[in-house]
């Protein structure tokens, strides 16, 4: 099966990671997976949420959103509708959990880092691009903190990257763009550490339930994709 | 490792499925996984959401909620706070997607079924109990519709059940209760069809990322659990 | 006039009070007035609202809600609509005021008790069943507190029960079920103490305004009904 | 017991009813019960709510609110807080029900009247002043409609007035001002028709539950007060 | 061009300023610009918003709103809709900024004054009437504070008044009423101090963009109008 | 007075207008005034708001927002807070009014254009950059429509640009950056057409009220600035 942009089934789209995109943020990254473009900002606060105070532990959280015209047709603003939709909530929580997997709260000290991931252009894989970019912004924020001696230790114990995989017309594909995502019978987002372990596995049968063998081949594909993304992250941070 | 209720690692809690718990609902089930108790109501509407009108296709959706004192300590009502939290949104969406996996929209005709899953008592596994019970309520609602000849065909193409699995102290456990869930390093919810295929796989590293081998053993455990739950569903519906 | 369930005009529906329905709540009761079923949970907090702090006095409050399919046709969730309706507000306030009538705030100490009354099945009289059940849950919560020596004295100075009465086709009826409630020209909810005094009297002319004589006969009927309910409460608590 | 403004226990405060206070409203009244001042506006719409369409019947509804500085200390605006409080909801519903008691929906035709009751100055009895004034505004709106031949018949079958009564230091008092209201052990709002029947009776034990005899004496007092208010309404409308 | 109320183009409507309209407010004014009637209440608080605490400086803020039937046709309440509209927000902010222009925060001490401006009757120029009346209420509140020695100095450094001007059919007009406002091609609100300087200039081309010469003539007209309004304020305060 | 970036008082910051930044939007522009960066998207809809239907006239509206980390310190999301703030409302309304000043609704036909202006990086002048960029996006959207023959005529009758001016330490400055904006005693935003007339003039005395002479000199400065911006727009569109 030929992919409309000529990629092989196990090939990522061109990945571009631009650091320091925002002049004020402690860490900021414009990450591109093909046409998908996400602006990731890491903001440091020298305090933690109330339920965490006095624990000596830090916290990392994330908020995901889309600009109204990131998509094909205009989407109404959640601020105007007065509430956040289920999809936004779900992805914000996923990004937060994923990033926390590589953080040592004790070494972070009683500080918080908020990761804002705003999708400027959407073409599939916005949540995986967000996680992959947010990790780089997080590293920059941690470096900023360590330069100011805000952390008792090194809060980063690993790296984190994410990619989507799916079955389109019986073929397992890596890093789906929007049209592939719509066509996929099964859709999976996989978050992995740089050391090759799983942080999140979220597989959904969009149309037809999938067999264990399918699941296994998708996990293989995602594992390889995350290895590549980890390399891109390292190069960007070098 | 001994479980505090004496179960073996691959054993479900006692499952109880009581049909017809609500006098007015087209389908209703009180489902119990040990102390976890969820009231599942299926409400039939002879219309579909606006974006679906004129398509000849039906729709199935779900709403999940917890009573304030289902839990150890009281939780504020989302109606009083004026908005639905991320966790509630996420679980409602999961239940809806899971049930839709066994529905033939065309055979359902332009009708909707809403599945309300309200947790009366929470002791871990509320979302998996909800999915397992909601399927039985859905069957009753479909039978109610077919008696009234509302459906062009048989809308149910398979059954759906769900169970949680996790790693506690290196041991993979089936159907975690609340204290096990809190202690788990890795936590996975698996939704499967009666014919043994996957509908949803959601695995999360709560503390430590997990290796592929761990993932595989959890999937094995969940598969066996879903087979048992499918049998309980059939018995309840007989 | 014959009532459709064969009751005499001055007869209550079968009343069932099940204590300890929730494993975690300090007090909990499943109360049934015929088909009407309300789950009442009493939650103890060792603090009071801000405006009450430092006063040495306690506080009791209540929240009422209905599950979406407690009723004949599905009702949208107030959490999804994002706001609480007028009827819910009104009944929550009524329950709170009613229960506070039997509480000695000083003897309660600076503690709060929240009474959550969730209607699982609705067939008329949900607010009066809620008050009658909530009183029993309140007693259990107070016993729990006194065992832990949280209260400076005995906070319960009396008991409280409630019943609805109404005029249907010129006949005054006790404890209206849903179809009677809809048919009633006048509808009254009466809350009384165990010692036979009034806490709340709320009478409403649904169709035709009512004369003083009608009001008097309804009050007589309600008084007798509350005596019976008080006896059921005592038996349940024995 | 002497009342601080020299009234006898069964005496109303000075009542003033000014019609036509708003230049645009179909009916409008500034009603004063002593220092309590409520602006009542009746707005006519040639349509009914959706659930009423095609029935040939009209509808009457009410909304009550307080200006932030009507009270002793400033109250935050409900528009700023983003939601309507329980008290506001409750009183709006009471006013609507009370006014509907004197309306023949069929004679009104498929038209609606909204009664806006905004408290400009509050000194106790705002809801009873609102009902009493809103009736007069309603009459003016109905006259306006009949002049334009909008109604199939005469929609007003009776008049409606309301007054508060209460027990302060063992004495039953009519038409409580704010300081009396705060001191009252029992507090009752009574809505009656011009023909002397009850529309609403809402009695609440603020401190001590009350005996049947107390209830009877309060009802007597309120009945006399409503007779006086009905006369004031007639004079204002003459 | 003749104005429908016979005014000359540079003539204000009759202005009436009634002080002490609310019995409880520290300052209150009913201000009338022709048929436009605004109730302005100044509420003193012996605290400041959190971001201002410990600064030794005071704060002045304002909230503007319209009663639902102040206008020709009924407007829905913002409290019922659950949010404040853009126009309300904008005018509240304008009133606050305007009044703050004549306040010395240091002399005010760490106290706040809230100015509530509620439009009872609207016939154009509600925001300018609100500013003009709110200034007088502010003076009364400050006098009340100074009598109680709450302020370290005299917080009022000048007076503030406001007026609208606009071009209707090529003629610059002062103090537009509603029908003129609707017909205006250009519309400007000008806020000035008693000493003749500008606090706010807000000009909007409703239909056709305007030339510099037009702008100049409108500013001349507004300047003269504010001189008159300042005189009315002084007379009211004498 | 030297400006910290070396500009002369009457000099704009470097202006950059990048068209076609979003692949899906009918018109889109990334506009930069120095470090201030705003993404402007124009979305075409072949319908108009309800109040406009059947009129044959089109409509143009705008929504303004800031990304959370566009600013020095992180700002909470309005979607998370559940409501839009006053400043956002005010600026959205200003942008909409400004753009409508150059539109012929009849030539637009019954179509709408929504202009989304999202601030990616904020350094003062975000609303004026938004207006200036939105005009270019609007032109592209109109060209897109005309190519598809959606418009009965040419909907653009002029161009629109905007700039801020202010007094800092007695010197009138053009196009204030953030630090200048904070230091300004008087602050004015001016919107002008390409033909040199005024669309909006909004002047605010931040600290000290300003004299007529100051106002005049600021208007001169803004007029010159808008001439330059109009030229940049033309070059970008060439």
């Amino acid at each position: 099966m030929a992919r409309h942009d000529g990629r092989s089934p196990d090939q990522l789209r061109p990945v571009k990671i631009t650091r320091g995109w925002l002049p004020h943020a402690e860490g900021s990254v414009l990450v591109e997976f093909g046409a998908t473009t996400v602006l990731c900002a890491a903001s440091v606060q020298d305090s933690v949420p109330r339920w965490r105070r006095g624990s000596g532990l830090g916290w990392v959280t994330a908020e995901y959103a889309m600009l109204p015209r990131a998509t094909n047709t205009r989407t109404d603003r959640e601020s105007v509708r007065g509430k956040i939709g289920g999809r936004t909530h779900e992805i914000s929580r996923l990004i937060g959990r994923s990033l926390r997997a590589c953080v040592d709260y004790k070494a972070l000290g009683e500080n918080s880092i908020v990761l804002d991931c705003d999708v400027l252009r959407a073409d599939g894989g916005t949540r995986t691009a967000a996680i992959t970019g947010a990790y780089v912004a997080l590293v920059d924020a941690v470096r900023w903190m360590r330069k100011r001696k805000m952390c008792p230790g090194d809060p980063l114990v690993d790296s984190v990257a994410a990619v989507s995989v799916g079955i389109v017309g019986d073929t397992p594909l890596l890093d789906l763009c929007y049209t592939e995502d719509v066509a996929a019978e099964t859709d999976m987002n996989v978050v992995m550490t740089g050391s090759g372990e799983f942080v999140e596995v979220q597989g959904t049968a969009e149309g037809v339930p999938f067999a264990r063998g399918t699941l296994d081949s998708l996990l293989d594909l995602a594992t390889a994709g995350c290895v590549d993304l980890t390399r891109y992250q390292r190069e960007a941070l070098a």
Side-chain angles (χ1 to χ4, degrees), chain A:
Chain A
M1 196 203 90
R3 300 178 82 167
H4 81 278
D5 56 1
R7 281 188 285 157
S8 64
D10 60 351
Q11 198 181 344
L12 293 172
R13 289 176 285 180
V15 173
K16 200 169 153 195
I17 297 175
T18 309
R19 287 162 65 202
W21 209 82
L22 294 173
H24 306 303
E26 286 75 40
S28 70
V29 159
L30 192 79
V31 61
E32 296 167 75
F33 278 25
T36 289
T37 308
V38 185
L39 179 53
C40 305
S43 298
V44 172
Q45 291 163 354
D46 60 355
S47 63
V48 286
R50 200 180 328 200
W51 53 271
R52 197 89 169 170
R53 280 182 207 152
S55 66
L57 305 175
W59 188 239
V60 170
T61 187
E63 291 186 5
Y64 167 96
M66 269 209 199
L67 291 198
R69 201 56 203 275
T71 40
N72 248 321
T73 54
R74 189 178 181 272
T75 314
D76 284 344
R77 287 175 194 270
E78 297 186 317
S79 58
V80 170
R81 275 187 284 153
K83 53 181 169 183
I84 286 185
R87 182 184 173 275
T88 299
H89 254 142
E90 203 169 304
I91 299 179
S92 293
R93 286 158 56 89
L94 170 65
I95 301 172
R97 276 200 314 273
S98 298
L99 273 297
R100 286 193 291 272
C102 68
V103 172
D104 176 345
Y105 296 135
K106 201 159 183 177
L108 184 56
E110 276 201 32
N111 301 296
S112 301
I113 302 175
V114 184
L115 294 156
D116 285 293
C117 300
D118 286 89
V119 179
L120 306 186
R121 294 188 278 228
D123 186 28
T126 61
R127 76 189 75 183
T128 53
I131 291 168
T132 305
Y135 169 72
V136 178
L138 177 65
V139 172
D140 274 331
V142 165
R143 288 180 181 172
W144 183 93
M145 294 171 83
R146 300 206 71 190
K147 210 177 294 174
R148 281 155 190 77
K149 304 202 184 301
M150 286 177 72
C151 304
D154 182 358
L156 292 170
V157 299
D158 206 330
S159 71
V160 163
V163 79
S164 72
V165 286
I167 303 288
V168 181
D170 292 328
T171 314
L173 298 182
L174 180 68
D175 187 22
L176 311 184
C177 69
Y178 178 71
T179 49
E180 292 170 342
D181 189 55
V182 166
E185 287 139 33
T186 296
D187 182 16
M188 186 175 284
N189 291 293
V190 177
V191 186
M192 298 189 77
T193 59
S195 53
E197 300 208 299
F198 293 95
V199 172
E200 285 270 340
V201 174
Q202 297 200 341
T204 299
E206 295 293 338
V208 208
F210 50 97
R212 179 68 175 267
T214 305
L215 178 53
D216 287 340
S217 67
L218 288 173
L219 289 168
D220 292 344
L221 204 56
T223 302
C226 284
V227 168
D228 285 350
L229 289 168
T230 299
R231 205 184 54 243
Y232 286 121
Q233 291 174 323
R234 270 189 211 136
E235 288 167 8
L237 284 163

